[in-house]
Amino acid sequence: MIGRLGGQAARRAPTTQRAAPSRWEAAPITPVAPEIWEYRIGGVQVIRKWFAFRKRKPDVEWQTPLNDMLPGIWPARWTVELLDLINVLGLLVALEPKQDQLLDKVTAGPLITTDDLKDLRVLPVPPYATKEPKVPRAPRPTAGSPGVQETFDFPS
């Protein structure tokens, strides 16, 4: 068994017996419960996004030549990562009822008032905490920009 998921294991499905199985033979990972496959964070389907970054042409904005460096085959570590991801999502799904209960308790509990915060000296906010953030400096000029010295020749 690779991992536990609410009493179920996420593991490679058994393949039919052959005399000499290929070292790189693909096998599906089953079972993956629908609520795990559909699990979303911020509206993004987690497992689908995980696969999108590991395709031959990943669904990622090209940023550097490192984006072009992809393995020629499916690395074994990706299978381990996928099994870990499935199990973590399964644990999160299993926690949802307890999370709902906790949220209900928090929302049904007493509210913290402005007076409570004043009594605790959280309010009023001290002046140092209300300072405007500093505006970032302008980027340094690049070669070829007006006013940029392109050589180390100094006037005499």
Side-chain angles (χ1 to χ4, degrees):
M1 183 179 335
I2 301 292
R4 294 191 55 81
L5 176 61
Q8 291 185 334
R11 59 181 168 194
R12 291 182 61 183
T15 58
T16 57
Q17 292 293 329
R18 296 191 186 126
S22 166
R23 180 176 175 200
W24 304 110
E25 184 176 327
I29 295 175
T30 60
V32 177
E35 58 270 16
I36 295 170
W37 173 254
E38 292 294 331
Y39 197 89
R40 295 173 187 272
I41 296 175
V44 176
Q45 191 177 354
V46 176
I47 294 176
R48 187 175 297 276
K49 189 69 169 181
W50 186 88
F51 276 114
F53 279 99
R54 287 160 182 83
K55 297 188 311 188
R56 281 196 186 109
K57 292 188 178 196
D59 295 342
V60 62
E61 181 181 331
W62 192 91
Q63 296 172 351
T64 71
L66 290 175
N67 289 103
D68 297 328
M69 298 178 71
L70 301 168
I73 59 168
W74 181 272
R77 73 178 185 278
W78 285 2
T79 302
V80 173
E81 286 178 17
L82 178 57
L83 291 169
D84 287 345
L85 177 61
I86 291 168
N87 284 308
V88 166
L89 295 176
L91 293 169
L92 291 172
V93 167
L95 280 175
E96 285 178 351
K98 287 184 179 179
Q99 291 173 331
D100 288 340
Q101 291 172 357
L102 179 59
L103 180 60
D104 289 342
K105 285 181 182 179
V106 169
T107 56
L111 298 178
I112 299 173
T113 66
T114 305
D115 290 334
D116 293 335
L117 294 174
K118 286 179 182 175
D119 292 343
L120 293 169
R121 295 189 179 148
V122 173
L123 290 179
V125 177
Y128 68 85
T130 61
K131 284 177 32 179
E132 291 290 323
K134 291 183 179 179
V135 177
R137 292 188 306 169
R140 293 182 178 194
T142 57
S145 299
V148 174
Q149 182 175 337
E150 295 191 22
T151 67
F152 290 111
D153 299 330
F154 297 99
S156 344

